[in-house]
Amino acid sequence: REAESFKEQGNAYYAKKDYNEAYNYYTKAIDACPNNASYYGNRAATLMMLGRFREALGDAQQSVRLDDSFVRGHLREGKCHLSLGNAMAASRCFQRVLELDRKNTQAQQELKNASTVLEYEKIAEVDFEKRDFRKVVFCMDRALEFAPACHRFKILKAECLALLGRYPEAQSVASDILRMDSTNADALYVRGLCLYYEDCIEKAVQFFVQALRMAPDHEKACLACRNAKALKAKKEDGNKAFKEGNYKLAYELYTEALGIDPNNIKTNAKLYCNRGTVNSKLRKLEEAIDDCTNAVKLDDTYIKAYLRRAQCYMDTEQYEDAVRDYEKVYQTEKTKEHKQLLKNAQVELKKSKRKDYYKILGVDKNASEDEIKKAYRKRALMHHPDRHSGASAEVQKEEEKKFKEVGEAFTILSDPKKKARYDSGQDLEEDGLNMGEFDANNIFKAFFGGPGAFSFEASGPGNFFFQFG
């Protein structure tokens, strides 16, 4: 009678959804009468409402041990198994219910649910092997609708989220499990995996080591720990060699590090950028550009790689590409430094689209006044129309064009003000200089003397010399 009273009070609290009090009274009923199947069944139902499925499973199993014909006990045991992700055990429980009551619609539906979970498990297993991690996440989400307390499904989902680069979501799932079970080796492994892929390698190793303490045979944690330690060591050795100026060794070490784990995107992006820096130091600029391109393919937010590649583009006079990279950097981080770098690249791009007067004269950009004069003298004589009077019309036209360009180049580079404006990328026509109107012959005469002071004479077929008057 006392036990029945406790049970009735438990039922009243259960009806009011006060499951904690209901649990207390069902426990009192069990203490008073420990061999009553319905008391265990009721407490199992209460624990299920509290989300404590493992405890509920124990009560449900005890209820059917006491009374194998207790239909609700079998239903609750099956529901607990299913919620915990054990669909095979759940199916056996629901089949037992149907043996006792062939028309039990709840058991029929739950049996279908268990079959659905088993199907999602099979698909996920195949897709994980195929590395189709998005599909695995989808399958686990569907399975968790029926098995909300299954740590195994949650861990698999979290691992796939980490492999997809969705680290905050993966960490959230793993952390939720660790709050309930701080010794869960799988959750510790996933937590470490997220840190590892975010290039927090030292912290990641700590989690892998902890996971291996809980489960020494945890293969994934063992492999990840080994990779993490190897990556950290190679990267540090490469950095050391670079600082010591041993660029060849640094290149080799970074290359070896890149072969350790192709899945570690963030660390590999940094390794590519580091190797790009080494290549730029070795003046292998195209290789440096390739490395930086690989870095931004892996991590399109990696500012350092864009900056390194942009500088290499500047050094190889690929100014349009440099401007594009500096624009990307400035859009991401609007600093004065980045603004100036972009402005410099834009100036160089503008300059690159004009005639290169230094190239026309064949002098360096730092050439002295005397060097510019000597270069003009040599090129003007080389391309003077009189020297090519016996050539074909096509050759005469080309040499006349070059003669004009040489005069144009000398006009600009021999004038300090015009040269300064040209070097800074400013528009020369703003100075009132219309390069289409000047006369190259006048410049030539002014440089070499008045009319009659010079002539070209043939000294043999195809050979000419210049003679002053």
Side-chain angles (χ1 to χ4, degrees):
R1 283 198 299 272
E2 186 183 32
E4 278 297 306
S5 173
F6 288 140
K7 175 193 165 185
E8 292 302 325
Q9 290 179 75
N11 289 348
Y13 281 114
Y14 187 94
K16 291 191 289 187
K17 298 184 180 179
D18 187 346
Y19 301 118
N20 285 312
E21 277 302 308
Y23 171 82
N24 290 335
Y25 278 98
Y26 290 140
T27 301
K28 288 178 181 179
I30 289 169
D31 289 342
C33 186
N35 295 319
N36 188 302
S38 68
Y39 297 168
Y40 285 100
N42 286 5
R43 191 168 74 173
T46 304
L47 286 165
M48 289 167 70
M49 297 306 293
L50 289 169
R52 292 157 63 179
F53 291 99
R54 291 197 183 281
E55 295 171 72
L57 177 61
D59 275 353
Q61 288 173 326
Q62 179 61 16
S63 74
V64 297
R65 273 196 291 269
L66 291 169
D67 180 0
D68 185 51
S69 63
F70 185 30
V71 169
R72 281 186 295 178
H74 286 295
L75 275 172
R76 284 164 187 160
E77 183 187 356
K79 189 68 176 170
C80 288
H81 278 308
L82 187 57
S83 296
L84 292 165
N86 191 344
M88 288 293 288
S91 296
R92 288 193 292 271
C93 294
F94 300 135
Q95 283 164 354
R96 176 59 182 150
V97 171
L98 292 172
E99 288 171 10
L100 296 168
D101 177 5
R102 282 186 306 144
K103 295 182 181 180
N104 191 298
T105 55
Q106 186 181 351
Q108 290 168 356
Q109 182 57 51
E110 293 293 359
L111 194 56
K112 287 179 183 177
N113 293 345
S115 296
T116 300
V117 170
L118 284 169
E119 187 61 27
Y120 280 127
E121 278 192 82
K122 287 176 186 175
I123 295 169
E125 187 178 347
V126 171
D127 287 326
F128 189 88
E129 289 300 316
K130 292 180 182 175
R131 300 185 66 79
D132 188 350
F133 302 125
R134 283 184 177 82
K135 188 86 173 285
V136 178
V137 170
F138 172 82
C139 288
M140 290 302 95
D141 279 337
R142 301 290 79 76
L144 284 163
E145 290 173 7
F146 303 106
C150 181
H151 287 182
R152 186 164 48 87
F153 293 169
K154 288 178 181 179
I155 289 294
L156 181 56
K157 175 186 173 180
E159 183 178 1
C160 290
L161 287 170
L163 292 166
L164 288 167
R166 293 160 63 179
Y167 308 121
E169 295 171 74
Q171 285 183 22
S172 177
V173 175
S175 296
D176 284 345
I177 292 172
L178 288 170
R179 273 193 288 274
M180 292 182 278
D181 178 10
S182 62
T183 64
N184 188 303
D186 291 324
L188 289 166
Y189 158 71
V190 170
R191 187 78 179 84
L193 197 65
C194 292
L195 290 164
Y196 172 62
Y197 284 145
E198 288 184 292
D199 198 40
C200 300
I201 294 179
E202 203 165 326
K203 285 185 180 178
V205 169
Q206 293 173 8
F207 276 94
F208 295 144
V209 168
Q210 200 175 344
L212 289 167
R213 280 200 202 105
M214 301 302 145
D217 296 329
H218 199 295
E219 290 182 11
K220 289 181 178 179
C222 187
L223 177 62
C225 191
R226 188 163 61 244
N227 284 345
K229 287 178 177 178
L231 255 182
K232 183 172 180 287
K234 286 287 182 191
K235 186 181 175 186
E236 287 176 353
D237 288 346
N239 293 347
K240 184 183 177 187
F242 179 82
K243 285 175 185 175
E244 292 172 353
N246 192 342
Y247 301 130
K248 187 180 177 184
L249 178 59
Y251 179 90
E252 290 171 0
L253 289 165
Y254 289 141
T255 302
E256 287 173 17
L258 281 164
I260 291 171
D261 185 359
N263 294 320
N264 194 322
I265 290 169
K266 280 208 171 182
T267 302
N268 287 344
K270 290 183 179 180
L271 289 167
Y272 271 120
C273 187
N274 287 0
R275 196 173 73 174
T277 304
V278 170
N279 274 324
S280 70
K281 290 287 186 184
L282 294 169
R283 304 311 295 166
K284 295 180 179 179
L285 297 177
E286 289 302 328
E287 288 92 333
I289 289 169
D290 289 342
D291 277 339
C292 293
T293 299
N294 284 325
V296 298
K297 278 180 184 175
L298 293 175
D299 182 2
D300 64 359
T301 65
Y302 193 13
I303 295 298
K304 190 176 177 182
Y306 283 110
L307 288 170
R308 172 61 57 198
R309 187 171 70 174
Q311 184 57 58
C312 290
Y313 281 139
M314 292 291 285
D315 292 341
T316 52
E317 298 183 4
Q318 300 178 63
Y319 299 120
E320 286 187 9
D321 292 322
V323 167
R324 187 190 64 241
D325 276 357
Y326 282 133
E327 282 175 344
K328 169 80 174 177
V329 169
Y330 185 63
Q331 286 166 6
T332 308
E333 291 183 0
K334 287 182 164 54
T335 66
K336 286 183 180 179
E337 182 187 357
H338 294 158
K339 187 177 182 180
Q340 188 59 49
L341 287 168
L342 174 58
K343 187 177 178 181
N344 293 345
Q346 288 169 334
V347 168
E348 291 301 323
L349 174 60
K350 185 178 177 183
K351 286 162 66 176
S352 72
K353 291 184 176 179
R354 306 172 311 173
K355 291 178 183 176
D356 187 341
Y357 292 137
Y358 292 103
K359 192 174 181 180
I360 288 168
L361 286 183
V363 295
D364 186 77
K365 290 183 179 180
N366 298 314
S368 67
E369 189 177 341
D370 283 344
E371 287 171 331
I372 289 169
K373 284 181 180 179
K374 285 178 184 176
Y376 172 70
R377 181 182 291 112
K378 179 182 176 182
R379 297 288 171 123
L381 294 174
M382 185 187 301
H383 299 297
H384 195 286
D386 288 354
R387 183 172 185 175
H388 303 278
S389 58
S392 67
E394 189 179 342
V395 170
Q396 285 185 39
K397 189 176 179 181
E398 181 64 25
E399 291 300 328
E400 186 178 354
K401 178 187 173 187
K402 289 179 179 178
F403 177 68
K404 286 181 178 179
E405 286 181 339
V406 167
E408 189 178 316
F410 180 69
T411 300
I412 300 304
L413 299 183
S414 62
D415 184 317
K417 286 186 179 178
K418 291 186 176 71
K419 182 176 183 294
R421 288 181 67 81
Y422 175 76
D423 288 344
S424 65
Q426 295 182 58
D427 211 331
L428 294 170
E429 292 189 4
E430 291 176 8
D431 252 2
L433 179 66
N434 186 343
M435 302 313 291
E437 293 178 358
F438 90 104
D439 190 335
N441 284 310
N442 288 338
I443 298 167
F444 186 85
K445 289 171 186 176
F447 191 88
F448 286 104
F454 58 91
S455 65
F456 288 92
E457 292 183 11
S459 62
N463 297 313
F464 296 86
F465 67 89
F466 179 77
Q467 182 178 16
F468 285 94

